[in-house]
Amino acid sequence: MKNKAGDMMKVGYEVVCDGNTKVYNMPGLFLDASDGTVHEMITSDEARLPYVILNSGQQVSVKVRAVYYHEVTSNKQEVYWNWNDNSQYIIESKQTKYVVDMYGKWSDTYTYKNYSLKKLSPVTGTKVSEKGKEMSVTWNAQNGVDSYRVYYLRSSKPLNITNIESFLQFYNKRGTLYDAYVNAKGENDSYETDSEYASDPYCNITIDSGLPYFYCSVRLESAEEGYFSDGSYSDVITATASINGNIPTVKNLKIEKTYNGDDWQLSWTPIDADVVIYVFEEGKKPAHYNYELLNAYGYYTDGQGQQKKLYLKDALTELESKEISSYVRSYKVKGIDGSYSAISLKPGVKYTFVAHTYDAGSSLYNIQKKPVFTVNKEIKVTDAQKNQTYKNISVGMTYYTAMSPASNMVSYTDKVSVPRVYTKAGKNSIKLSFTRGSCTGYEIYRLSGKKYKKIATTTDYVYTDQNLKAGTKYSYKVRSYYYDPDRKTKSYSIYKNFTVSTSRVNNIVLKVAKNSKNTVKLTWTKVGFATKYEIYRTSESDKDITEISGWINSGNSAVTVENTKYELVKTITNAKTTTYTDKKLKFGESYTYLICAYYKDGKTLKYITASTRVKMQLEEPRNLVLTNKGKNVSVKWDADKYAAGYQIRYMVYDKYGEKKTVAEKYVTVKKNKYTIKGLSSGEYVNVSVRAYNSQKEYSGWSSSKESTSLAAVKSIKAVYDTKKNAVKITWKKVKGAKYYKVVRSVYTPLCNTDEKLYAATGNLIAKDSNDETGYYSEVHYREYYGEDGSITGTAAYDRARLKKGVKYYYMVSAYGEKGTRIASYMTSEYGTQVASGKPAVIIYGVKVAAKVKNNKKGTVTVSYNKVTGAKTYQIYRAEKKNGKYTLIGTTKKTSFADKKAKKKKTYYYKVVVNGRNELLADFTIRSSAVKIKVKK
């Protein structure tokens, strides 16, 4: 607001008290333009409030009015003398005056009387006790107290504290007692100070068992209205924490079966302490299995007379370290939970468990200063004649983490998990897939007559039973197995039985799209052998929100009872029809469509169903797709018939994930596409879209997507190099990729059939591997700035110790610069994940090559190399290279004589090897075709 002269006015406040009481904190002086009087006020930029000081029982009346003023600024020059060089200099400063333009009305007068305050007494009744991991401090409650403050010290040794004066010397770190402590302080002596606020008359303070000596005093922090405190401290209270920290022994360690015996957990009597569980494989309990947590070390004098520190981990031999890393696992848990189940075990292997409590804050060395045990250390000694000898010396080791004695030991042998089976029936095949548990593979049996016959053993979690009869029921039983190649042992789960029928029809998928504002088009996949389609629609439901029931819910809650009403809207008898347009729909209604495809299975009429829904109003855009095109990103989404246009919201990020601007950018378009242009190398965008109608009413925003994806790696190939005894993987270069990662898996990778991409999940390939000292280890590629698994070229060797005859899948994913999110991605069930193009498949370490020759008797001999693990060799023959091959013989030998070959004819031969791999599963390999013309 401006005055008549055009000056900007500000608002201040003038406070007046009767009795000439001084009002503090009113720094602004203003000139009353009407009479020239100078007044005090609070200016518009003053943050502090004015106040008065009253004696006990004094009364004051206060009134306030607003002052509207403007500022007048002038320059002031002052001359100063520099005595060092007898020179003068001028300092110019700005002077601001406040000139009043008008006043507000005076407020009503407020009268306040400062009544006498009640004095609070110092805190009394202070007590301290050790409770688990905490010191519990309590004191007597007192009316009129708003909060307390607890001051405390924790020390590694007793301090000369006898009263509050000596306590404050140490707390504030000044005074004669504190100086004496500093002068006599040892290398491991220390103490720390701190304080806690409390609104109630108690406070729990965490124990640091490395600082077990505890000193504490409490005083009033703030008082309620009508009370005051002089800030006196309570008496000092002292306590000493347990010398070994909070390390009670774990009791009643046991194995509990859960989930009807299908699972298990380790349990114990709940205890308020940190617990570490050690797991020993095959009962192997190496010495010093807990060395990492103990953090033990000691001192010794070397051959030159110098004192050296020796950590226990450095005193262990390589074999001891390997035994601990191979046969011992540890899990840190909360003892108060009383159980732990996240432990994965090899099935069929006996494991032993033991538990300790520990206190990482405790240092026994600082407290008792004595070794707990000794180890041997070999040192080199040089005598006066410079002869060098070696000798063993004993080094005392001290724990730097307090740990309890071991609990009772328990053992458990885990079972192989029963597979969960999923089926997909085809006309002449049934596809089985299994949940991937802690197993090596699966044995699959099919009922043949009255007995089950094994049809396959596989390490993959997918198997397809082929060449079946259409419309026929098949009974199966499947069990998981676990094979330990080191122990040469095989363990089994119990069988899972199930029955599946081959189907004359394929699955049906139903889609819906808005054709106009009152029509939708339904499209479905054609169902073979369908006799008719029935289309049902609903927009109604019976629901009473005042009633709930737990009967329909298996959980511990109740839900509203609801039923949906469907009506038949169309019957289609032409089985070739796969579309239908539904008309005269209402704005704002939600419709659910159900399609039933009927077909005959023998004399029985069956049907399969699919459903989808649509809402006849503006909806958030669906199927947002981002495509990188050099420096541009193409953005597309499904059009909405109710939309008059779309608003795009996006943020540009640099290659390291930092925002390029503070605010997001917004763009409005009419069509369901847009191109974001001008991105620099490595930059990407995060995009979401919403629609709006002709009334400028907006839908919700779509889920956002990022343009971080590189193209998928293509042309992935894998071959077994017999000379290098390794698998060579090659692939095509991806534009924009800085490095690649190659993973290997025995499982069929997850495939997004829409994007034609595969999930790149598995184990990183090994650049090198060894099994020195009997313990296997691998080294990964690290070619790009040390990134684990990174390969900068387009070829690599997998030198892992793979199993012969096992099928391996190799996936390759591309990545941008290290530290960025740029990589090959695919859409998965849970968002996005790193992706690969079509994987390479190889059966490792086995290969068959066939040869043919004419014999004198007019027969053709097919010979081939011996294959490790082979059970049978099957010989197939065809008259054309790409023609139909017919089985002509099965043998266990490495040659076969074709006695039925006709003279002067040309034949092609292939050899199929069926065998058992090193994981005791089936494998099948085929030779290339070989050609021969039979002699006359």
Side-chain angles (χ1 to χ4, degrees):
M1 187 167 63
K2 295 183 179 181
N3 61 16
K4 293 181 179 179
D7 301 311
M8 181 63 68
M9 288 193 297
K10 296 183 177 181
V11 181
Y13 296 93
E14 183 179 8
V15 182
V16 176
C17 296
D18 61 1
N20 296 318
T21 304
K22 173 64 176 174
V23 181
Y24 295 92
N25 222 14
M26 291 210 302
L29 298 176
F30 70 88
L31 181 66
D32 189 330
S34 62
D35 60 8
T37 305
V38 175
H39 299 253
E40 292 180 335
M41 71 169 179
I42 311 167
T43 57
S44 62
D45 55 357
E46 178 60 47
R48 296 174 297 174
L49 295 175
Y51 64 92
V52 297
I53 299 176
L54 302 178
N55 295 322
S56 179
Q58 185 178 352
Q59 179 174 299
V60 67
S61 296
V62 184
K63 61 180 181 179
V64 183
R65 68 173 175 177
V67 178
Y68 297 86
Y69 66 94
H70 67 273
E71 296 178 352
V72 178
T73 303
S74 61
N75 292 329
K76 179 182 178 182
Q77 292 184 342
E78 293 183 285
V79 179
Y80 291 85
W81 188 268
N82 188 341
W83 297 102
N84 293 326
D85 56 6
N86 293 324
S87 62
Q88 291 181 336
Y89 60 94
I90 298 173
I91 294 180
E92 186 175 283
S93 60
K94 289 186 177 181
Q95 302 294 316
T96 300
K97 292 182 179 180
Y98 306 120
V99 179
V100 71
D101 292 298
M102 59 181 180
Y103 298 104
K105 292 183 179 180
W106 284 106
S107 69
D108 294 335
T109 300
Y110 173 75
T111 301
Y112 173 80
K113 185 175 182 180
N114 186 22
Y115 293 96
S116 299
L117 300 178
K118 295 180 181 179
K119 183 178 180 180
L120 295 170
S121 61
V123 173
T124 59
T126 49
K127 296 178 182 179
V128 61
S129 60
E130 183 177 357
K131 291 185 178 179
K133 297 181 181 180
E134 296 177 324
M135 285 293 185
S136 177
V137 182
T138 61
W139 55 90
N140 294 332
Q142 189 176 170
N143 292 331
V145 177
D146 184 61
S147 65
Y148 308 86
R149 191 171 185 182
V150 182
Y151 297 84
Y152 62 91
L153 292 86
R154 294 180 292 199
S155 175
S156 61
K157 70 176 187 179
L159 301 176
N160 188 14
I161 295 177
T162 57
N163 52 34
I164 189 60
E165 288 74 20
S166 55
F167 174 84
L168 291 176
Q169 283 195 41
F170 282 94
Y171 191 91
N172 297 319
K173 298 183 178 180
R174 59 176 180 266
T176 55
L177 293 176
Y178 173 74
D179 293 340
Y181 166 82
V182 172
N183 293 332
K185 184 174 179 291
E187 178 185 357
N188 296 308
D189 295 339
S190 64
Y191 79 85
E192 63 181 28
T193 64
D194 208 339
S195 64
E196 298 283 348
Y197 289 93
S199 57
D200 297 308
Y202 62 86
C203 180
N204 295 322
I205 298 169
T206 302
I207 292 173
D208 182 341
S209 48
L211 304 171
Y213 298 95
F214 183 80
Y215 303 85
C216 176
S217 178
V218 184
R219 75 170 181 174
L220 303 178
E221 179 66 20
S222 61
E224 296 175 351
E225 187 175 354
Y227 296 85
F228 78 98
S229 169
D230 61 3
S232 297
Y233 291 84
S234 73
D235 294 334
V236 177
I237 52 175
T238 64
T240 303
S242 300
I243 196 85
N244 289 338
N246 186 36
I247 51 170
T249 303
V250 176
K251 296 180 179 180
N252 300 321
L253 188 68
K254 60 183 178 180
I255 301 293
E256 287 183 345
K257 296 292 185 68
T258 58
Y259 296 101
N260 296 318
D262 291 336
D263 212 338
W264 66 279
Q265 67 179 12
L266 201 62
S267 67
W268 57 90
T269 302
I271 188 170
D272 187 18
D274 290 323
V275 170
V276 58
I277 300 167
Y278 288 98
V279 185
F280 309 111
E281 188 174 327
E282 288 283 18
K284 295 179 180 178
K285 184 182 176 184
H288 312 307
Y289 62 85
N290 52 357
Y291 78 90
E292 282 190 296
L293 186 55
L294 287 177
N295 190 26
Y297 62 81
Y299 295 90
Y300 69 95
T301 302
D302 68 8
Q304 286 71 45
Q306 296 181 344
Q307 190 181 54
K308 296 291 183 66
K309 179 188 287 187
L310 177 66
Y311 283 94
L312 176 58
K313 65 182 180 66
D314 297 324
L316 298 177
T317 65
E318 182 181 5
L319 183 58
E320 287 175 326
S321 297
K322 289 283 188 179
E323 283 183 340
I324 294 172
S325 62
S326 298
Y327 294 114
V328 181
R329 282 182 279 163
S330 63
Y331 301 87
K332 294 179 180 178
V333 300
K334 295 296 182 184
I336 199 68
D337 293 340
S339 65
Y340 188 71
S341 60
I343 302 175
S344 178
L345 305 178
K346 294 179 183 178
V349 178
K350 184 179 180 181
Y351 289 86
T352 302
F353 305 85
V354 69
H356 302 258
T357 63
Y358 68 95
D359 190 341
S362 175
S363 172
L364 298 182
Y365 177 80
N366 286 343
I367 299 168
Q368 59 192 33
K369 298 185 179 180
K370 64 180 182 180
V372 180
F373 66 97
T374 61
V375 296
N376 290 326
K377 169 68 175 175
E378 186 178 68
I379 65 170
K380 183 168 64 176
V381 180
T382 305
D383 59 20
Q385 287 74 37
K386 295 187 178 180
N387 296 317
Q388 293 182 341
T389 58
Y390 292 87
K391 72 173 184 177
N392 284 325
I393 62 171
S394 295
V395 182
M397 288 281 154
T398 301
Y399 297 164
Y400 270 70
T401 298
M403 181 173 285
S404 74
S407 68
N408 61 297
M409 299 181 75
V410 294
S411 297
Y412 181 70
T413 302
D414 201 7
K415 297 184 299 184
V416 183
S417 58
V418 180
R420 179 177 294 177
V421 184
Y422 303 91
T423 63
K424 181 180 179 181
K427 180 182 177 182
N428 300 108
S429 64
I430 295 175
K431 184 177 182 180
L432 311 177
S433 54
F434 319 103
T435 50
R436 284 154 51 177
S438 56
C439 62
T440 303
Y442 308 90
E443 291 185 348
I444 304 165
Y445 296 78
R446 186 179 66 218
L447 186 63
S448 178
K450 294 183 178 181
K451 294 183 179 181
Y452 281 92
K453 181 181 179 181
K454 185 191 289 187
I455 59 172
T457 303
T458 178
T459 55
D460 204 344
Y461 71 112
V462 176
Y463 175 78
T464 301
D465 191 12
Q466 298 178 326
N467 301 318
L468 304 177
K469 292 182 180 180
T472 304
K473 287 184 178 181
Y474 289 90
S475 295
Y476 296 88
K477 66 178 184 179
V478 177
R479 65 177 177 177
S480 308
Y481 75 90
Y482 177 79
Y483 176 63
D484 190 328
D486 296 325
R487 297 176 177 83
K488 306 297 182 183
T489 58
K490 193 175 184 181
S491 306
Y492 299 93
S493 73
I494 62 174
Y495 286 102
K496 173 73 174 180
N497 294 72
F498 56 96
T499 299
V500 191
S501 297
T502 49
S503 177
R504 298 185 68 206
V505 301
N506 54 297
N507 292 337
I508 184 170
V509 178
L510 178 65
K511 295 183 179 180
V512 62
K514 297 171 191 172
N515 238 13
S516 68
K517 292 185 177 182
N518 60 1
T519 64
V520 297
K521 183 178 181 181
L522 299 173
T523 306
W524 57 92
T525 53
K526 183 180 178 181
V527 176
F529 302 99
T531 57
K532 66 176 179 178
Y533 299 101
E534 287 183 348
I535 300 171
Y536 294 85
R537 181 189 66 211
T538 179
S539 62
E540 289 185 71
S541 64
D542 284 335
K543 184 175 183 178
D544 186 347
I545 62 173
T546 66
E547 295 180 5
I548 59 175
S549 172
W551 183 76
I552 60 175
N553 189 19
S554 60
N556 295 322
S557 60
V559 297
T560 305
V561 179
E562 181 178 6
N563 295 109
T564 302
K565 295 179 179 178
Y566 284 89
E567 61 175 318
L568 178 64
V569 294
K570 186 67 177 178
T571 299
I572 299 174
T573 56
N574 186 350
K576 294 182 179 180
T577 302
T578 56
T579 62
Y580 172 71
T581 299
D582 196 15
K583 302 176 181 179
K584 298 181 180 180
L585 302 178
K586 297 179 181 179
F587 173 77
E589 288 278 5
S590 291
Y591 296 94
T592 299
Y593 287 91
L594 177 72
I595 186 168
C596 298
Y598 290 86
Y599 65 96
K600 276 288 188 71
D601 186 1
K603 295 182 179 181
T604 305
L605 182 65
K606 297 182 178 179
Y607 64 89
I608 57 174
T609 66
S611 64
T612 188
R613 63 172 296 277
V614 67
K615 194 167 187 177
M616 300 306 291
Q617 66 180 45
L618 196 66
E619 295 183 281
E620 61 186 50
R622 298 179 180 179
N623 298 322
L624 180 64
V625 177
L626 276 59
T627 305
N628 287 308
K629 294 184 177 181
K631 295 182 179 181
N632 302 333
V633 175
S634 170
V635 184
K636 293 182 179 180
W637 57 93
D638 290 347
D640 191 315
K641 292 297 181 181
Y642 286 91
Y646 305 91
Q647 189 176 49
I648 302 161
R649 177 179 66 187
Y650 69 93
M651 172 64 74
V652 180
Y653 293 83
D654 66 20
K655 58 187 178 183
Y656 299 109
E658 296 294 328
K659 293 180 179 180
K660 296 283 289 183
T661 58
V662 175
E664 293 172 307
K665 295 182 180 179
Y666 290 81
V667 179
T668 300
V669 296
K670 294 293 184 181
K671 296 183 178 181
N672 59 320
K673 61 181 180 179
Y674 180 71
T675 300
I676 300 171
K677 299 180 179 180
L679 299 180
S680 300
S681 176
E683 290 182 348
Y684 65 92
V685 291
N686 180 291
V687 183
S688 56
V689 183
R690 65 176 178 175
Y692 63 87
N693 58 24
S694 56
Q695 287 78 40
K696 287 293 181 179
E697 297 168 337
Y698 290 88
S699 72
W701 289 100
S702 69
S703 298
S704 62
K705 282 197 173 182
E706 294 180 343
S707 63
T708 53
S709 187
L710 292 171
V713 178
K714 296 182 179 180
S715 301
I716 305 170
K717 297 179 181 179
V719 294
Y720 175 55
D721 190 322
T722 54
K723 292 182 180 180
K724 294 188 176 182
N725 193 29
V727 178
K728 184 179 181 180
I729 307 100
T730 58
W731 58 91
K732 281 189 176 181
K733 185 178 181 180
V734 172
K735 185 178 181 181
K738 299 296 182 181
Y739 66 95
Y740 306 86
K741 289 187 179 183
V742 184
V743 294
R744 165 196 359 100
S745 177
V746 296
Y747 301 114
T748 302
L750 181 68
C751 177
N752 184 316
T753 55
D754 296 327
E755 300 174 358
K756 297 180 180 179
L757 296 175
Y758 296 79
T761 54
N763 298 316
L764 290 170
I765 64 171
K767 183 179 181 181
D768 200 2
S769 62
N770 67 73
D771 57 357
E772 294 177 5
T773 67
Y775 299 93
Y776 178 70
S777 61
E778 292 183 358
V779 176
H780 296 157
Y781 286 85
R782 293 177 178 271
E783 295 180 354
Y784 187 77
Y785 297 105
E787 176 69 21
D788 191 27
S790 61
I791 301 164
T792 53
T794 56
Y797 284 91
D798 184 10
R799 295 183 174 88
R801 303 301 169 95
L802 305 180
K803 302 298 181 183
K804 288 186 178 181
V806 175
K807 181 187 288 187
Y808 293 99
Y809 298 87
Y810 284 92
M811 286 74 69
V812 185
S813 49
Y815 291 82
E817 290 189 32
K818 184 177 180 180
T820 72
R821 297 178 60 191
I822 308 299
S824 303
Y825 292 105
M826 63 175 265
T827 306
S828 69
E829 297 172 284
Y830 309 104
T832 59
Q833 67 181 91
V834 177
S836 168
K838 187 177 181 180
V841 184
I842 187 173
I843 298 177
Y844 177 76
V846 289
K847 190 175 183 180
V848 61
K851 297 179 182 179
V852 288
K853 68 176 182 178
N854 284 295
N855 290 330
K856 293 180 181 179
K857 296 181 181 180
T859 61
V860 175
T861 298
V862 184
S863 60
Y864 33 86
N865 58 290
K866 184 177 180 179
V867 177
T868 303
K871 290 182 178 180
T872 61
Y873 299 89
Q874 293 177 318
I875 292 80
Y876 287 81
R877 186 184 69 191
E879 295 182 2
K880 294 182 180 180
K881 185 176 182 180
N882 297 320
K884 181 181 179 181
Y885 284 80
T886 303
L887 177 65
I888 61 172
T890 300
T891 180
K892 293 183 179 181
K893 299 179 180 180
T894 54
S895 65
F896 177 82
D898 182 7
K899 298 179 181 180
K900 295 183 179 181
K902 295 181 179 180
K903 296 178 181 180
K904 298 183 181 181
K905 291 205 68 169
T906 298
Y907 292 104
Y908 294 85
Y909 292 88
K910 287 183 179 181
V911 179
V912 175
V913 183
N914 298 299
R916 191 186 199 193
N917 63 32
E918 291 186 338
L919 293 179
L920 307 187
D922 302 333
F923 74 83
T924 300
I925 57 173
R926 295 170 175 79
S927 73
S928 299
V930 289
K931 176 183 177 183
I932 191 171
K933 185 174 182 180
V934 183
K935 289 183 178 181
K936 298 179 181 179

